[in-house]
């Protein structure tokens, strides 16, 4: 059959994917349609590809003396006659080259398709352009070349400047970067392998040929965007927390995002967070003043200059930003502003701190611009994590005691220092009521600690005056009669109310 195939390649046939009994089941060379000869043993069970010794036309066009063939035979015997085309050339990072999908046809019959092949031998010019645009410009490239690390770092730094300054026009466009590589890169470079070879040759001639400079990558100066005004970390409640900047209006991550470890959530104070970061104080103050009623807003003209002066004189935040604006306005213009005059709902979301709460493994467990909302959802988990960390501090653990029935310990400090991986946390110890006994525990929230401490101390007092409580419980259960008498005595009315309150607090505890 191979000899027939080599001489009669025009008698090939491929079974049609669709059709019914009325249409020819096979398509031959140059688009002819035919049926297998009815007397053939393969008439009803022929495979996908067949070869015929002859094709005759009677009442229909028939293929006679047929046999099934392997399509690979067609390619091996008739390779020189195959017509090839390539589609969808694209860059592949893993293979480090531009590839395309190759289709092969013989006399119009598709022999194979979607075969992935290197594209550079077919069109080296287009392959080079795709390589530059996809790999070097778009950054879909894995390389340890020094120029690549240098340029990638520069671009990343400038992109961070864009996010911090909220200006998307600092970095040059992709076309400018493409022209740089197109101008400086050798014409023979179209893949990772050819780039490495070219770089090795350039080491002797011009090793910095592909190094881009900051001025080449920036459309305008951004010298005011420094780490001093846009820090990468903020120390909050004694904990260094990472800060991320994102310029993406409408996104929940737009603006400044503070990464908060869950154990420090309850220790964050809202007032320092009103200031965001120094580089954004001017913008926020401008927005705050614009939200004021006209009768107050008119005093701040020109507003950008006043906001800049305010930001410069308040580089170290203290207290509430809103109170600071109110006080500065009083000093400058003699006007009285109250907090309610600020229409905070008119401010853009990025002018409020975004909090991303993470667990000990760095996984996000909550995110919001509302600190009270996060605390209402995660305060219990935050306290548990904080107490777990406190128990791991040997010094603190020695002072925390369980099963206390009397004040058998010394003075209780107002705060405790908790050490964790070189970070100091502040804990608030308290005597906690456990029912029949008390325990010494440490809390991350001073208000929570005071509340628990009140009831804990009351439990210890009850343990000291058991007999007196029994007497009160036995003799002061029914004070209705005494209340009637006491209400008629105006001079002792307050004393009677105080006594009643004390009785309720002590006896009902």
């Amino acid at each position: 059959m191979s000899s027939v195939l080599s001489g009669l390649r025009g008698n090939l046939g491929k079974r049609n994917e669709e059709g019914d009994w009325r249409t020819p089941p096979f398509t031959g060379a140059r688009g002819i349609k035919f049926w297998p000869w009815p007397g053939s043993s393969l008439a009803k069970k022929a495979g996908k590809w067949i070869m015929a010794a002859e094709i005759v036309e009677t009442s229909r066009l028939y293929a006679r003396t047929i046999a099934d063939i392997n399509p690979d035979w067609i390619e091996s015997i008739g390779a020189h006659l195959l017509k090839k085309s390539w589609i969808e050339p694209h860059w592949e990072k893993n293979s480090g080259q531009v590839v395309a999908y190759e289709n092969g046809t013989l006399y119009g019959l598709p022999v194979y398709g979607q075969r992935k092949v290197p594209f550079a031998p077919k069109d080296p010019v287009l392959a080079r352009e795709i390589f530059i645009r996809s790999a070097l410009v778009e950054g879909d490239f894995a390389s340890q070349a020094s120029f690549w690390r240098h340029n990638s770092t520069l671009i990343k730094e400038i992109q961070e400047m864009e996010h911090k300054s909220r200006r998307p026009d600092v970095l040059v466009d992709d076309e400018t970067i493409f022209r740089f590589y197109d101008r400086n890169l050798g014409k023979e470079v179209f893949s990772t392998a050819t780039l490495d070879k070219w770089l090795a040759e350039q080491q002797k001639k011009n090793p910095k040929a592909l190094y881009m400079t900051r001025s080449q990558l920036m459309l305008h100066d951004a010298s005011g965007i420094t780490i001093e005004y846009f820090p990468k970390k903020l120390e909050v409640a004694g904990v260094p927390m990472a800060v991320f900047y994102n310029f993406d209006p409408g996104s929940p991550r737009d603006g400044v995002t503070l990464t908060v470890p869950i154990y420090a959530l309850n220790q964050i104070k809202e007032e320092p967070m009103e200031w965001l970061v120094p580089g954004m104080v001017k913008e926020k103050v401008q927005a705050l003043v614009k939200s004021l009623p006209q009768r107050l807003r008119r005093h701040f003209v020109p507003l950008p200059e006043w906001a800049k002066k305010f930001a410069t004189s308040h580089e170290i935040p203290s207290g509430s930003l809103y109170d600071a604006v109110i006080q500065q306005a009083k000093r400058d213009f003699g006007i009285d502003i109250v907090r309610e005059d600020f229409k905070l709902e008119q401010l853009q979301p990025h002018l409020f701190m975004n909090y991303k709460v993470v667990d000990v493994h760095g996984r996000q467990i909550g995110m919001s611009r509302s600190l009270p909302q996060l605390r209402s959802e995660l305060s219990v988990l935050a306290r548990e994590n904080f107490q777990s960390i406190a128990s791991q501090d040997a010094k603190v653990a020695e002072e925390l005691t369980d099963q206390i029935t009397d004040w058998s310990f010394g003075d209780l400090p107002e705060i405790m220092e908790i050490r964790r991986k070189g970070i100091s946390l502040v804990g608030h110890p308290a005597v906690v009521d456990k029912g029949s006994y008390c325990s010494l525990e440490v809390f991350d929230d001073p208000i929570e600690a005071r509340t628990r401490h009140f009831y804990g101390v009351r439990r210890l007092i009850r343990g000291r005056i058991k007999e007196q409580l029994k007497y009160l419980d036995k003799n002061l259960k029914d004070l209705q009669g005494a209340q009637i008498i006491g209400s008629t005595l105006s001079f002792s009315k307050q004393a009677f109310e105080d006594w009643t309150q004390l009785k309720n607090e002590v006896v009902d505890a």
Side-chain angles (χ1 to χ4, degrees):
M1 185 53 66
S2 61
S3 60
V4 176
L5 176 60
S6 62
L8 298 173
R9 284 181 287 270
N11 288 1
L12 284 169
K14 183 179 182 182
R15 182 177 290 279
N16 299 321
E17 298 295 336
E18 299 178 357
D20 54 32
W21 61 274
R22 293 170 294 185
T23 59
F26 285 90
T27 297
R30 301 177 183 85
I32 64 172
K33 308 284 186 180
F34 59 83
W35 278 266
W37 181 252
S40 170
S41 60
L42 296 178
K44 294 184 178 179
K45 56 181 181 179
K48 187 174 181 179
W49 284 89
I50 62 171
M51 180 71 206
E54 60 179 343
I55 295 178
V56 298
E57 184 173 5
T58 56
S59 58
R60 290 177 173 177
L61 192 62
Y62 288 108
R64 301 183 63 178
T65 314
I66 62 176
D68 289 334
I69 64 169
N70 189 323
D72 292 340
W73 301 346
I74 303 172
E75 187 176 355
S76 60
I77 295 175
H80 61 292
L81 296 174
L82 287 177
K83 186 177 181 179
K84 299 178 182 180
S85 61
W86 300 272
I87 61 172
E88 300 179 27
H90 60 280
W91 166 253
E92 277 199 348
K93 179 179 177 180
N94 292 336
S95 62
Q97 63 179 336
V98 177
V99 299
Y101 296 109
E102 183 180 86
N103 298 321
T105 61
L106 178 63
Y107 302 140
L109 283 176
V111 178
Y112 63 86
Q114 295 296 96
R115 178 180 293 175
K116 192 181 293 186
V117 296
F119 184 66
K122 325 306 178 193
D123 191 339
V125 175
L126 181 55
R128 180 178 183 274
E129 180 181 344
I130 293 173
F131 167 69
I132 294 175
R133 291 191 183 278
S134 299
L136 302 182
V137 177
E138 296 178 10
D140 187 25
F141 190 43
S143 174
Q144 294 302 315
S146 58
F147 89 91
W148 180 246
R149 294 198 305 270
H150 169 82
N151 293 350
S152 298
T153 301
L154 266 184
I155 290 173
K156 184 178 179 180
E157 289 176 356
I158 296 171
Q159 287 173 335
E160 288 178 355
M161 290 181 184
E162 289 185 326
H163 287 295
K164 291 175 180 179
S165 64
R166 302 189 65 77
R167 294 187 60 174
D169 59 347
V170 180
L171 181 67
V172 297
D173 60 14
D174 288 351
E175 197 60 33
T176 302
I177 300 175
F178 171 80
R179 288 196 297 268
F180 170 84
Y181 283 119
D182 186 39
R183 183 174 60 253
N184 294 281
L185 198 60
K187 300 301 180 183
E188 69 276 20
V189 176
F190 46 72
S191 65
T192 300
T194 55
L195 173 64
D196 291 342
K197 181 180 179 181
W198 183 83
L199 287 173
E201 296 172 354
Q202 288 296 310
Q203 287 299 318
K204 301 176 183 178
K205 303 176 184 178
N206 185 11
K208 301 287 186 177
L210 296 182
Y211 277 64
M212 300 189 77
T213 64
R214 189 178 295 269
S215 60
Q216 288 175 318
L217 288 168
M218 293 176 64
L219 287 173
H220 58 79
D221 182 45
S223 57
I225 307 170
T226 65
I227 192 171
E228 179 183 357
Y229 297 114
F230 294 90
K232 294 183 178 181
K233 288 187 177 181
L234 287 178
E235 186 168 312
V236 182
V239 181
M241 300 185 186
V243 179
F244 296 94
Y245 303 88
N246 191 26
F247 177 50
D248 188 9
S251 165
R253 297 179 183 272
D254 186 32
V256 188
T257 298
L258 184 71
T259 303
V260 182
I262 181 64
Y263 59 80
L265 176 61
N266 289 336
Q267 295 197 315
I268 298 177
K269 296 180 180 179
E270 289 190 72
E271 286 190 347
M273 300 297 100
E274 295 171 0
W275 297 80
L276 299 174
V277 294
M280 296 187 69
V281 171
K282 177 186 173 183
E283 182 184 357
K284 184 165 185 177
V285 168
Q286 283 188 236
L288 281 172
V289 174
K290 285 182 179 179
S291 74
L292 292 171
Q294 174 61 26
R295 61 181 176 82
L296 298 171
R297 190 171 66 245
R298 62 184 179 84
H299 294 279
F300 294 86
V301 178
L303 178 54
E305 291 184 13
W306 189 88
K308 182 179 180 180
K309 179 182 176 182
F310 176 91
T312 304
S313 60
H314 292 81
E315 289 187 354
I316 301 177
S318 177
S320 166
L321 171 64
Y322 311 132
D323 290 343
V325 172
I326 290 171
Q327 293 163 10
Q328 190 66 46
K330 179 70 172 178
R331 288 192 295 267
D332 290 350
F333 311 118
I335 58 176
D336 294 318
I337 300 175
V338 295
R339 281 204 176 201
E340 290 70 23
D341 290 327
F342 295 119
K343 301 298 184 287
L344 299 183
E345 65 276 5
Q346 296 181 9
L347 272 63
Q348 295 295 320
H350 74 272
L351 295 176
F352 298 92
M353 183 67 78
N354 187 37
Y355 304 94
K356 175 187 173 183
V357 183
V358 297
D359 61 16
V360 292
H361 302 292
R363 295 172 298 202
Q364 178 179 320
I365 55 178
M367 187 171 71
S368 174
R369 298 186 192 274
S370 172
L371 200 54
Q373 176 189 338
L374 285 172
R375 283 175 173 160
S376 67
E377 297 172 356
L378 303 171
S379 62
V380 175
L381 181 61
R383 184 169 64 248
E384 290 173 351
N385 275 264
F386 181 87
Q387 291 178 332
S388 174
I389 291 172
S391 66
Q392 296 170 21
D393 187 321
K395 185 177 179 180
V396 174
E398 288 179 1
E399 299 185 29
L400 302 182
T401 317
D402 205 354
Q403 301 286 341
I404 298 172
T405 56
D406 197 2
W407 198 286
S408 55
F409 46 90
D411 293 340
L412 198 62
E414 290 189 9
I415 60 173
M416 284 184 174
E417 183 184 20
I418 299 167
R419 304 292 297 178
R420 181 185 186 271
K421 297 180 179 180
I423 298 173
S424 292
L425 301 174
V426 176
H428 305 273
V431 178
V432 180
D433 184 358
K434 295 292 186 179
S436 59
Y437 63 91
C438 293
S439 65
L440 275 180
E441 297 181 13
V442 62
F443 294 86
D444 51 359
D445 183 6
I447 297 176
E448 176 76 11
R450 283 197 297 269
T451 302
R452 295 294 192 96
H453 188 68
F454 171 81
Y455 291 106
V457 171
R458 195 175 69 172
R459 172 62 61 187
L460 293 180
I461 292 174
R462 288 193 64 194
R464 279 285 190 94
I465 56 172
K466 291 181 180 179
E467 296 301 322
Q468 292 89 332
L469 288 175
K470 288 180 181 179
Y471 176 82
L472 289 173
D473 191 41
K474 178 180 179 182
N475 295 283
L476 298 179
K477 282 184 176 180
D478 185 7
L479 292 177
Q480 185 175 359
Q483 186 174 0
I484 295 173
I485 297 172
S487 63
T488 62
L489 304 175
S490 59
F491 66 89
S492 62
K493 184 176 181 179
Q494 185 61 48
F496 179 78
E497 291 177 354
D498 292 343
W499 172 250
T500 303
Q501 181 181 353
L502 177 63
K503 182 263 180 185
N504 291 338
E505 289 183 354
V506 176
V507 176
D508 296 338

